[in-house]
Amino acid sequence: MDTYICVTCGTQYPPSAAPPAHCPICEDDRQYIGHSGQRWTTPAELRETHRTTIADVDPGVVGIATEPQFAIGQQAHLIQTPAGNALWDCISLLDDETVAAVRQLGGIAAIAISHPHFFSAMVDWAHAFDAPVYLHADHASWVMRPDAAVRYWDGDTREILPGVTAIRCGGHFPGSTALYWADGAGGRGALFTGDTVQVVSDRRWVSFIYSYPNQIPLDAAAVRRIVAALEPYPFDRLYGGWRDRLVAGDAKAAVRRSAERYIAHLQGDAAASA
Ligand SMILES: [Zn+2]
Ligand SMILES: [Zn+2]
């Protein structure tokens, strides 16, 4: 039996004789059904039409993405530490070449994923590298392909490898998570955010959104909770969920001032503060 992957969001479903009737991830108001209706592909089809790109981003940080862009188009990151590699976020395609290339880089000791839009083929990746997938427990009802490799964590933080900590920020989803790497950015600290904190086109700034495709903002309290969750952690660099989306320096200040700007717009006093 094949597994089926939603063409719009990239989520993989359990093996089945026929494609699933629905994609709950896309039916949610943070997503949308593709303009030609619900469509599915399979890992075999995807391997014929797409390939994986693996590129150094920074010392100890490797970007892993799909070319041409597929579904939401995110970039996963491999974070190389002395205790093993962490895979942050995930993609829908996994082929033999990718497995070999990632093994060459030291394999994967632990996987953590920010939120359901990037669950993609996490179970295939977990099985290929014999790695656990750490997800915040608030995401449990959004896991479309349950598996023994998935380990739910509760509360506000979970260290997945020494010096690598998942932080529950909420916002986009109640369990939306960022990943903190204390030794990142040359020891100044690095934060990986997916779209929990979104790096915008002006890369000195970030944003905070409930639905990106449907342009629904977060409320001020949710934005303040995200900033508060990150407050204990010093970080200089912030890696967003797509290629070339990164705040190159002084990233914690960028998050703070972006939150202030965002809340000023929500509250109607942006002109006064400009
Ligand atoms: Zn979908
Ligand atoms: Zn998302």
Side-chain angles (χ1 to χ4, degrees):
M1 279 194 295
D2 264 332
T3 63
Y4 287 89
I5 294 172
C6 173
V7 168
T8 305
C9 70
T11 304
Q12 186 180 39
Y13 285 72
S16 60
H22 302 278
C23 178
I25 303 280
C26 284
E27 290 176 346
D28 175 59
D29 69 354
R30 279 161 282 219
Q31 260 287 113
Y32 62 97
I33 305 292
H35 295 184
S36 41
Q38 177 63 51
R39 289 169 52 220
W40 302 95
T41 187
T42 63
E45 270 178 22
L46 205 53
R47 283 194 287 266
E48 279 178 23
T49 52
H50 291 71
R51 59 184 280 272
T52 305
T53 60
I54 298 180
D56 289 335
V57 176
D58 270 328
V61 180
V62 177
I64 303 176
T66 304
E67 202 177 75
Q69 183 175 307
F70 175 70
I72 297 174
Q74 71 271 18
Q75 171 168 266
H77 289 90
L78 191 75
I79 302 162
Q80 298 175 295
T81 87
N85 297 339
L87 180 70
W88 169 244
D89 284 330
C90 200
I91 56 175
S92 302
L93 172 62
L94 181 62
D95 56 18
D96 292 343
E97 277 174 36
T98 308
V99 171
V102 171
R103 286 216 177 107
Q104 202 78 41
L105 293 167
I108 298 170
I111 301 170
I113 304 182
S114 55
H115 75 299
H117 294 150
F118 296 169
F119 288 173
S120 58
M122 62 180 177
V123 173
D124 281 355
W125 281 75
H127 291 173
F129 295 97
D130 195 21
V133 183
Y134 292 98
L135 301 181
H136 194 275
D138 285 351
H139 289 323
S141 63
W142 294 103
V143 172
M144 298 296 126
R145 187 182 176 192
D147 190 88
V150 176
R151 297 198 194 155
Y152 293 107
W153 57 277
D154 267 314
D156 294 329
T157 63
R158 169 71 191 249
E159 192 171 62
I160 65 159
L161 288 175
V164 182
T165 304
I167 303 166
R168 195 268 291 266
C169 296
H172 181 41
F173 277 82
S176 275
T177 302
L179 192 71
Y180 179 63
W181 181 29
D183 289 338
R188 297 184 302 281
L191 190 72
F192 297 79
T193 58
D195 61 8
T196 304
V197 176
Q198 174 84 311
V199 180
V200 294
S201 297
D202 180 344
R203 301 188 305 164
R204 298 167 302 170
W205 297 83
V206 299
S207 194
F208 316 87
I209 301 282
Y210 174 77
S211 169
Y212 294 91
N214 303 323
Q215 301 190 14
I216 307 170
L218 286 177
D219 62 46
V223 174
R224 289 198 180 99
R225 279 195 297 273
I226 294 170
V227 175
L230 300 174
E231 195 48 43
Y233 303 90
F235 56 92
D236 191 52
R237 232 161 151 76
L238 187 151
Y239 300 85
W242 284 262
R243 191 177 296 159
D244 298 327
R245 291 291 172 128
L246 78 97
V247 179
D250 209 13
K252 189 166 179 176
V255 171
R256 283 201 197 107
R257 70 170 174 269
S258 299
E260 282 165 23
R261 180 175 78 169
Y262 190 96
I263 291 167
H265 277 273
L266 287 175
Q267 294 178 337
D269 52 5
S273 68

